Amino acid sequence: MVNLEEGYWKKIPFYKNVDKTRWEDWKWQIANRLTSLEDVRKVFPVDKALKEVFLKTATIYHFGTTPYYLSLIKEFSYNDPIFKQIFPHTDEINPEKQTHTSLDPFREEELSPVDGLTHRYPDRVLFRATNFCSVYCRHCMRKRNFLEPERARPKEEYDRMFEYIRKNPQIREVLISGGDPLTLPNKKLEYILKNLYQIDHIDIIRIGSRELVVNPYRFFDEGLLELFDKYDKVWLVSHFNHPNEITNITKQAVKNVLKTGTPVLNQTVLMKSVNDDEKTIETLMRDLLRCKIKPYYLFYCDPVEGTIHFRTDLHRGVEILEHLRGKVSGLATPIYAVDLEGGYGKVPVFPNYIVEETDEYVIFRNYEGKLVKQFK
Ligand SMILES: *Cc1c(COP(=O)(O)O)cnc(C)c1O
């Protein structure tokens, strides 16, 4: 876990005059996002090669980061796991690096009964509240959003989405995603939560947000915490990919959320030279648990155009899970999953621990590789 000292941002010359109340205000973080090459240059020197990459790529897939997330970069180069997640790379727009991809491989738009809703599984529905994010992850599975102007949906569109959910009592859970729904002002968020909360057949409102990673000050906003407390069906799912993203501020932010009775989970994307090794994932999972965040999914990188250069070998994830088994708490082990192209759903992929099976017995392989025979 990264320990950020009091006033840590003042070490960055550009932010040395920013006082604590401003830096720790989530709205300041969003209002002061860096979105252009000129912005980045205020904080880091950008050499000619990086400048060229930026200008070529970010005009197609836009760039954006909060000052907080940027401040977690240790080395301003592709060696740094945070830099790599936010700084454009020419592989994104190189057709040779983007084979067998599409902008919407899960047919989210096509499987929408109403604009903004995707109804794939009978009991769950995906609710895309906005296409705005405070940080644009280069590996985003909704990278198609980058190609549109940023906008939150107007109320009338939300109303149509509520109407569909109301009319379909088999839906028990609404996943609010985006973009990032927690970049919405509290008032707009309350409008969504209130309406969903009032639908009796909704048991769970799952909010998928990266604000805990890129703008943890969001969870120091009393107004938001009151909403979580009041609309008591909320679960929060975050998206940490690397231990460098977990700080003492994350821990405090999660504590604030847990006090409202809201469980906090995490999903990670397995990415080439960001986190595709045993040690990094082990540390990440341990640090998540230290913050009381439960690792939920580890995803195989999706075949989304502009992101597939992050893809690892499929079996890398299985090997990493095998490494975790027995070595770290069972609580620290996520489900490794592949989201099937075409909108066929997520499939879990597990290491195989059954080596042989007959009518009488089963031979298991334990975490140490020892074979153990058990009669049925
Ligand atoms: C991932 C996803 C869900 C949720 O799946 P879980 O396995 O419950 O996490 C629901 N709807 C859509 C469209 C999804 O992509």
Side-chain angles (χ1 to χ4, degrees):
M1 197 182 305
V2 181
N3 187 37
L4 297 170
E5 297 154 17
E6 191 62 40
Y8 63 93
W9 62 90
K10 296 190 177 186
K11 284 196 192 134
I12 303 170
F14 184 66
Y15 295 123
K16 72 175 188 298
N17 295 322
V18 177
D19 62 23
K20 189 175 158 74
T21 43
R22 277 198 295 160
W23 182 268
E24 296 185 350
D25 173 358
W26 72 272
K27 289 182 189 152
W28 185 91
Q29 287 286 337
I30 290 187
N32 288 277
R33 289 186 324 138
L34 299 99
T35 58
S36 66
L37 187 65
E38 289 69 48
D39 289 345
V40 181
R41 276 186 163 153
K42 292 172 192 161
V43 183
F44 284 107
V46 181
D47 66 25
K48 200 161 163 257
L50 283 181
K51 177 185 158 189
E52 260 173 44
V53 172
F54 191 104
L55 292 178
K56 247 194 205 155
T57 316
T59 42
I60 296 171
Y61 295 119
H62 54 210
F63 165 85
T65 180
T66 54
Y68 167 84
Y69 194 56
L70 194 79
S71 79
L72 301 181
I73 292 178
K74 290 183 175 159
E75 184 190 332
F76 198 70
S77 84
Y78 292 110
N79 296 327
D80 186 282
I82 291 175
F83 178 93
K84 234 179 142 135
Q85 288 182 65
I86 55 173
F87 202 88
H89 193 287
T90 42
D91 281 357
E92 293 172 38
I93 52 166
N94 179 352
E96 280 168 29
K97 301 276 183 182
Q98 301 295 329
T99 50
H100 305 295
T101 60
S102 65
L103 279 171
D104 186 10
F106 311 119
R107 300 192 299 155
E108 287 185 337
E109 304 288 347
E110 208 182 313
L111 299 173
S112 292
V114 174
D115 239 7
L117 277 187
T118 302
H119 197 177
R120 179 186 295 162
Y121 300 109
D123 69 328
R124 278 154 287 170
V125 74
L126 175 71
F127 187 111
R128 285 173 275 116
T130 172
N131 67 5
F132 178 83
C133 282
S134 50
V135 164
Y136 289 109
C137 308
R138 302 327 291 178
H139 59 276
C140 181
M141 59 89 62
R142 285 199 196 102
K143 207 151 174 166
R144 62 180 191 275
N145 282 350
F146 289 35
L147 305 172
E148 306 162 357
E150 292 167 334
R151 67 163 197 138
R153 286 179 195 282
K155 262 202 173 97
E156 305 73 61
E157 288 189 27
Y158 290 148
D159 290 343
R160 262 175 262 145
M161 292 154 85
F162 302 140
E163 188 55 28
Y164 177 85
I165 297 168
R166 245 180 248 122
K167 281 197 195 134
N168 285 275
Q170 77 276 25
I171 300 173
R172 293 174 171 272
E173 177 172 351
V174 180
L175 283 83
I176 308 176
S177 181
D180 198 317
L182 293 185
T183 59
L184 293 174
N186 292 345
K187 229 174 136 181
K188 202 150 193 175
L189 198 61
E190 174 153 31
Y191 185 72
I192 298 173
L193 293 178
K194 189 170 81 187
N195 275 280
L196 295 177
Y197 186 79
Q198 284 166 352
I199 304 173
D200 273 347
H201 54 89
I202 296 303
D203 298 331
I204 298 173
I205 302 171
R206 192 195 311 185
I207 299 179
S209 167
R210 219 181 173 202
E211 287 295 280
L212 201 51
V213 185
V214 300
N215 190 8
Y217 301 117
R218 183 68 178 103
F219 306 92
F220 290 79
D221 174 351
E222 287 300 331
L224 179 74
L225 299 172
E226 277 165 25
L227 294 183
F228 283 5
D229 190 49
K230 185 169 170 190
Y231 301 107
D232 193 20
K233 295 181 180 181
V234 176
W235 292 56
L236 180 65
V237 181
S238 189
H239 176 40
F240 288 92
N241 290 323
H242 194 278
N244 290 5
E245 297 170 339
I246 303 181
T247 72
N248 47 323
I249 297 158
T250 318
K251 182 153 169 72
Q252 282 176 41
V254 176
K255 197 162 180 177
N256 294 345
V257 175
L258 291 173
K259 277 185 191 159
T260 69
T262 305
V264 186
L265 307 166
N266 187 68
Q267 43 197 43
T268 297
V269 178
L270 189 63
M271 284 182 281
K272 202 188 282 172
S273 55
V274 172
N275 60 9
D276 60 336
D277 64 284
E278 280 78 355
K279 203 66 221 158
T280 302
I281 294 289
E282 182 185 330
T283 309
L284 173 64
M285 297 307 153
R286 285 188 192 279
D287 285 353
L288 287 171
L289 286 190
R290 286 163 82 190
C291 294
K292 297 193 185 165
I293 302 173
K294 165 74 186 103
Y296 175 42
Y297 273 130
L298 174 68
F299 285 120
Y300 179 52
C301 185
D302 292 329
V304 171
E305 193 175 330
T307 71
I308 207 168
H309 52 291
F310 284 110
R311 183 174 269 189
T312 61
D313 186 278
L314 173 68
H315 298 282
R316 197 75 277 273
V318 177
E319 288 158 8
I320 290 173
L321 286 195
E322 293 216 88
H323 166 84
L324 294 178
R325 177 61 42 198
K327 210 165 268 116
V328 287
S329 167
L331 288 173
T333 313
I335 299 164
Y336 181 47
V338 179
D339 209 345
L340 296 180
E341 244 170 284
Y344 295 100
K346 297 180 178 77
V347 172
V349 184
F350 297 103
N352 185 11
Y353 292 107
I354 293 179
V355 176
E356 191 187 327
E357 181 172 0
T358 70
D359 288 344
E360 282 168 76
Y361 64 82
V362 185
I363 297 179
F364 293 97
R365 177 172 62 90
N366 83 346
Y367 67 97
E368 298 164 306
K370 224 174 240 158
L371 299 183
V372 181
K373 184 171 173 178
Q374 303 249 302
F375 286 96
K376 281 181 165 172

